[in-house]
Amino acid sequence: TSVNQIAFNRYPDPYANETITAFGRHYDVKSNLVTAGNGSDELIQVIMSAFLMKGDRVLTLSHDFSMYRFYTSIVEAECIEVPKNEDLTINVDNVIETANEQQVRMIIFSNPCNPTSLGLCKDEVRRLIRSVNALVILDEAYMDFAGSTAQSESFLSFAGKYPNAVVLKTLSKAIGAAALRLGFIVSDKAFYDMFCAVKSPYNVNSVSQAFGKVLLREKELLKECTKK
């Protein structure tokens, strides 16, 4: 029904309002702090293009999602990789020290991590955010797989309270809808306004918006998708 109602001769809603409203209800966050994008890849690329200049430093972790380094190179920023501990856990003190010494402008990592499955608890994330003078991007693409821990350790509910922190979410992993190319940013209002000013006006097509808003309303179905 939602697809049949699409006016194909009209441009998409530039803010994907109905889709982000459904996202907000599903994850219990304020929808006015949520921005939709053409997958998390687009969101990462737009953030880096808008907030970095040539020669700026970005900190990521090793091992982690390889595309962070790729998008850093596209904007001609310098990527600093901080190695993880031998057991693949993250040394937060090392990250903080390196970020401050190297004066990095941005920190980005997946939490929990792709490919290790390990992540930081919410308190450690908060300590990191408070201890650096950098934008911290938390990619929570895999947080839904953390089961009962996901709700307690996700940083979504805190994203709007820290001006230097944003959380990325996606429908591609736990929900299994990678074909839609739907990603989301949860941030404070100032970042939301800045991001909306620099993104492409029609970055999420009407079909993806329609499917996304329907999927996000089906809580029981999404639980089954994540379980599978």
Side-chain angles (χ1 to χ4, degrees):
T1 302
S2 293
V3 174
N4 289 336
Q5 293 174 348
I6 295 173
F8 281 91
N9 62 324
R10 300 295 183 185
Y11 285 100
D13 174 5
Y15 300 106
N17 284 300
E18 292 185 3
T19 309
I20 65 172
T21 296
F23 175 93
R25 288 173 179 165
H26 180 73
Y27 285 106
D28 194 24
V29 295
K30 295 179 180 179
S31 57
N32 65 340
L33 302 179
V34 180
T35 319
N38 185 25
S40 293
D41 280 280
E42 186 217 18
L43 299 176
I44 295 167
Q45 188 170 19
V46 172
I47 291 172
M48 290 192 173
S49 297
F51 293 93
L52 294 174
M53 297 180 67
K54 181 178 179 179
D56 282 343
R57 291 170 177 163
V58 176
L59 185 152
T60 188
L61 306 174
S62 181
H63 301 289
D64 209 329
F65 186 40
S66 61
M67 294 303 288
Y68 303 148
R69 297 189 298 276
F70 173 74
Y71 289 126
T72 301
S73 69
I74 292 295
V75 298
E76 297 185 274
E78 179 183 352
C79 186
I80 298 173
E81 293 187 44
V82 174
K84 295 180 179 179
N85 298 323
E86 288 189 8
D87 61 357
L88 300 179
T89 56
I90 300 170
N91 186 326
V92 177
D93 291 321
N94 193 20
V95 173
I96 293 171
E97 181 180 359
T98 304
N100 291 331
E101 284 183 352
Q102 298 292 327
Q103 297 181 319
V104 302
R105 296 269 297 173
M106 187 177 294
I107 299 171
I108 181 169
F109 62 97
S110 57
N111 193 47
C113 173
N114 166 20
T116 71
S117 83
L118 304 177
L120 291 179
C121 68
K122 189 160 52 180
D123 289 339
E124 286 289 81
V125 171
R126 189 184 296 131
R127 183 164 73 90
L128 168 61
I129 291 166
R130 288 173 169 173
S131 301
V132 298
N133 185 28
L135 177 66
V136 180
I137 302 171
L138 303 166
D139 188 347
E140 290 195 0
Y142 293 87
M143 183 61 77
D144 294 288
F145 289 128
S148 59
T149 307
Q151 188 169 1
S152 61
E153 296 304 339
S154 171
F155 208 74
L156 278 178
S157 60
F158 289 91
K161 299 177 182 178
Y162 293 91
N164 67 320
V166 301
V167 176
L168 300 180
K169 295 290 291 184
T170 179
L171 298 195
S172 297
K173 305 301 188 297
I175 292 174
L180 294 182
R181 306 311 303 134
L182 261 177
F184 301 88
I185 299 176
V186 184
S187 65
D188 77 339
K189 188 61 169 59
F191 186 94
Y192 170 90
D193 290 339
M194 288 186 287
F195 187 87
C196 287
V198 298
K199 77 174 185 68
S200 171
Y202 307 112
N203 59 330
V204 181
N205 70 76
S206 297
V207 177
S208 291
Q209 289 188 38
F211 273 105
K213 72 181 180 184
V214 171
L215 272 176
L216 286 163
R217 292 170 183 166
E218 300 293 330
K219 285 187 176 289
E220 293 306 313
L221 171 63
L222 299 190
K223 287 180 183 177
E224 286 302 309
C225 291
T226 303
K227 183 178 177 180
K228 289 179 182 179

